[in-house]
């Protein structure tokens, strides 16, 4: 079997405004939001099958902190997840399969993503729900399949309506563990990335 090389697109809000449900807008929360994003990006970059990592952000200072092998897609201003992913997808083209992940999966293990991408490769479009079953943590499109996304409230069901196959991922997987609240952060503490642990 020929190995599949995925392009993974990750939209990142400026840390000063990101992760607002984790607490008041302070330098400490901004540092935590940046740490969560960097741990997420690092896990993605180490996952088997990922050939290209694209980070979409309007924050030039955050972009400067990314590893050199991560491709930055600059936004003039934050315009929402769908717009950010549309910008990245236009640059990526559709010659290879593409995947999108939020930047708040600091509990993600590279092997979890690699396994999910292997499963997703069997479908034109695939989706993974968050722990609550309402949101979306992984969205994919096969090579040659136009990119489509519909993030926002109840995005998981909207992506299924778009024709995405729902992948079966264990409830405890870091791939389903988005970190929006202090309770979620505390529950994932045992498997958080090093930067997030230090910042929290």
């Amino acid at each position: 079997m020929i190995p599949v090389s995925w392009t993974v697109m990750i939209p990142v809000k400026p840390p000063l405004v990101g992760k607002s449900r984790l607490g008041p807008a302070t330098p400490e929360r901004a540092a935590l939001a940046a740490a969560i994003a960097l741990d997420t990006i690092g896990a993605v970059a180490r996952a088997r099958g990922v050939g290209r990592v694209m980070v979409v952000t309007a924050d030039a200072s955050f972009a400067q902190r990314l590893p050199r092998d991560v491709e930055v897609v600059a936004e003039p201003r934050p315009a929402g997840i769908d717009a950010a992913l549309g910008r990245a997808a236009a640059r990526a083209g559709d010659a290879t399969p593409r995947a999108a992940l939020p930047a708040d999966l600091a509990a993600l293990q590279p092997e979890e993503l690699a396994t999910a991408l292997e499963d997703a490769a069997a479908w034109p479009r695939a989706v993974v729900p968050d722990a609550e079953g309402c949101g979306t943590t992984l969205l994919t499109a096969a090579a040659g399949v136009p990119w489509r996304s519909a993030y926002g409230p109840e995005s998981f069901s909207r992506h299924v309506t778009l024709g995405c196959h729902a992948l079966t991922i264990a409830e405890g997987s870091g791939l389903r563990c988005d970190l929006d609240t202090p309770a979620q952060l505390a529950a994932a503490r045992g498997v958080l990335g090093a930067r997030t642990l230090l910042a929290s």
Side-chain angles (χ1 to χ4, degrees):
M1 179 182 294
I2 299 174
V4 176
S5 182
W6 287 82
T7 294
V8 180
M9 307 175 293
I10 307 172
V12 180
K13 286 184 180 180
L16 284 172
V17 299
K19 309 315 302 173
S20 59
R21 293 167 63 190
L22 285 178
T26 63
E28 289 76 18
R29 193 194 78 195
L32 176 58
I36 290 172
L38 289 169
D39 278 337
T40 302
I41 294 162
V44 170
R46 296 193 304 275
R48 175 173 33 85
V50 174
R52 184 180 184 187
V53 180
M54 304 175 77
V55 170
V56 190
T57 185
D59 190 320
S61 62
F62 176 80
Q64 292 176 352
R65 300 178 61 184
L66 295 170
R68 291 185 179 181
D69 56 350
V70 170
E71 185 175 342
V72 176
V73 180
E75 287 186 292
R77 63 190 64 83
I81 297 176
D82 289 328
L85 292 175
R87 181 180 290 268
R91 179 183 292 188
D94 64 1
T96 62
R98 288 131 294 147
L101 286 166
D104 61 355
L105 299 177
L108 176 66
Q109 304 303 308
E111 188 59 29
E112 293 173 329
L113 177 59
T115 299
L117 292 176
E118 287 177 353
D119 293 344
W123 305 93
R125 303 179 191 276
V127 63
V128 171
D130 62 10
E132 288 74 29
C134 300
T136 297
T137 60
L138 176 67
L139 185 67
T140 71
V145 176
W147 180 260
R148 294 178 187 169
S149 67
Y151 282 89
E154 304 296 330
S155 66
F156 174 69
S157 61
R158 285 194 277 168
H159 286 135
V160 171
T161 300
L162 283 178
C164 296
H165 173 76
L167 298 179
T168 301
I169 304 294
E171 289 185 11
S173 171
L175 184 56
R176 298 187 61 183
C177 183
D178 51 348
L179 302 175
D180 288 324
T181 67
Q184 291 171 332
L185 189 65
R189 191 162 185 83
V191 289
L192 290 175
R195 294 180 183 86
T196 304
L197 277 174
L198 187 62
S200 59

